[in-house]
Amino acid sequence: NKLNSLYIRGNKCGLNWNNGKEMTQTYDNNIYIYEYNITCSLSSDYNDLLEVKVLIDDVTWMIGSNHHVNSSSTITSTIYPWFYSTSGSLKLIESIYSNELQNYRNIMVYLPPSYYENTLKTHSNVLIMHDGQNLFNPYTSAYGTAWMCQNTMNSQIVQGLSDEVILVGIYNTDDRINEYTYIYDPSEKSGGKGDLYLDYIESTVIPLINETLRVSIQRDTLGILGSSLGGLISCYAGYTRSHIYGKVGCM
């Protein structure tokens, strides 16, 4: 069967946004690869970026942001396009045990739109989030109102305003106050298990995500984010474990 042809459009280097150039198809190790050679000089200046998009039969545009290339040398820049999926999906991982805290909790993972369409793509952007039951589903949320992170991410990704990100929503437990605080407060008679909770994320959650999903977790593209006490423990993680987290969100 004849496969669709892929075309590339761009802003310079012999490309334009009105008509595409057909890419060359090769077949290697049961994978179809499409290539297009571009010869031009680019600087490292952000304003001198080569921006490209891939189209099916020069009609159907890839979804998401433009792919960017900026280099003055000869390089290979790899694109993992997707063309049809406009919504991500949610994956529930149940009853993950913590040796450090001696308890179990669920983890809800948001997988971005391309995850099941282009299965060759490995995702490097991963965001650890606390209070996982409050992030995606009003029926599991503490107060009946969820953040609905999936709706925000879907919209931002499809419009090209955000890279694809895998969200890892770790559920809290009845011991939330203790787990999300890093020091004991005598006046409240609680707190102080924050380091054990962060140890759990490092020893169990991050390896689990690495093993079960198509991810390549690296410090520069791994973030941690939360609100209220979740923001507190995120800031603490960023301050004390900056070798683990390259991005921190504290609300």
Side-chain angles (χ1 to χ4, degrees), residues 9-12 15-20 51-53 61 66:
R9 299 189 193 185
N11 65 330
K12 59 177 61 182
L15 301 175
N16 64 74
W17 293 118
N18 298 317
N19 299 286
E51 300 185 38
V52 300
K53 272 199 166 181
W61 291 76
N66 297 345

Side-chain angles (χ1 to χ4, degrees), residues 118-139:
N118 191 333
T119 55
L120 297 178
K121 180 177 180 178
T122 298
H123 296 259
S124 59
N125 295 313
V126 177
L127 181 61
I128 305 292
M129 301 181 71
H130 316 290
D131 296 314
Q133 58 264 63
N134 298 337
L135 303 179
F136 307 106
N137 188 345
Y139 293 102

Side-chain angles (χ1 to χ4, degrees), residues 3-215:
L3 294 179
N4 296 103
S5 296
L6 292 188
Y7 288 71
I8 188 169
R9 299 189 193 185
N11 65 330
K12 59 177 61 182
C13 300
L15 301 175
N16 64 74
W17 293 118
N18 298 317
N19 299 286
K21 303 286 188 179
E22 187 170 4
M23 305 177 76
T24 302
Q25 180 193 109
T26 58
Y27 185 73
D28 182 37
N29 196 28
N30 295 321
I31 297 173
Y32 285 96
I33 300 172
Y34 294 81
E35 298 177 320
Y36 186 78
N37 293 322
I38 295 172
T39 303
C40 72
S41 180
L42 297 171
S43 72
S44 58
D45 188 333
Y46 180 81
N47 295 318
D48 196 34
L49 290 175
L50 168 62
E51 300 185 38
V52 300
K53 272 199 166 181
V54 175
L55 296 84
I56 295 177
D57 294 332
D58 210 21
V59 174
T60 304
W61 291 76
M62 64 181 263
I63 297 173
S65 60
N66 297 345
H67 182 77
H68 298 88
V69 181
N70 62 326
S71 176
S72 58
S73 60
T74 302
I75 62 170
T76 298
S77 185
T78 304
I79 308 173
Y80 293 93
W82 80 101
F83 302 92
Y84 304 109
S85 303
T86 58
S87 297
S89 58
L90 297 176
K91 176 183 177 68
L92 178 63
I93 306 174
E94 296 184 280
S95 299
I96 304 303
Y97 183 69
S98 168
N99 286 318
E100 295 83 356
L101 298 164
Q102 302 289 297
N103 57 20
Y104 294 85
R105 73 195 69 215
N106 293 343
I107 299 172
M108 183 67 79
V109 179
Y110 165 82
L111 301 170
S114 79
Y115 191 84
Y116 289 114
E117 182 177 328
N118 191 333
T119 55
L120 297 178
K121 180 177 180 178
T122 298
H123 296 259
S124 59
N125 295 313
V126 177
L127 181 61
I128 305 292
M129 301 181 71
H130 316 290
D131 296 314
Q133 58 264 63
N134 298 337
L135 303 179
F136 307 106
N137 188 345
Y139 293 102
T140 61
S141 178
Y143 302 104
T145 301
W147 289 20
M148 302 305 289
C149 296
Q150 68 273 37
N151 294 347
T152 300
M153 290 306 305
N154 290 338
S155 175
Q156 294 289 298
I157 291 167
V158 169
Q159 293 180 68
L161 301 176
S162 170
D163 290 337
E164 291 196 299
V165 182
I166 288 179
L167 306 181
V168 180
I170 304 172
Y171 278 36
N172 62 43
T173 70
D174 292 339
D175 207 23
R176 178 181 185 272
I177 292 177
N178 287 317
E179 293 176 356
Y180 287 8
T181 52
Y182 54 84
I183 193 170
Y184 179 76
D185 185 345
S187 67
E188 297 293 333
K189 296 182 179 180
S190 64
K193 293 184 180 180
D195 276 303
L196 294 176
Y197 173 66
L198 295 176
D199 288 344
Y200 164 64
I201 294 175
E202 289 181 41
S203 70
T204 302
V205 177
I206 292 176
L208 175 68
I209 297 303
N210 249 333
E211 293 166 7
T212 59
L213 301 176
R214 291 195 323 275
V215 298

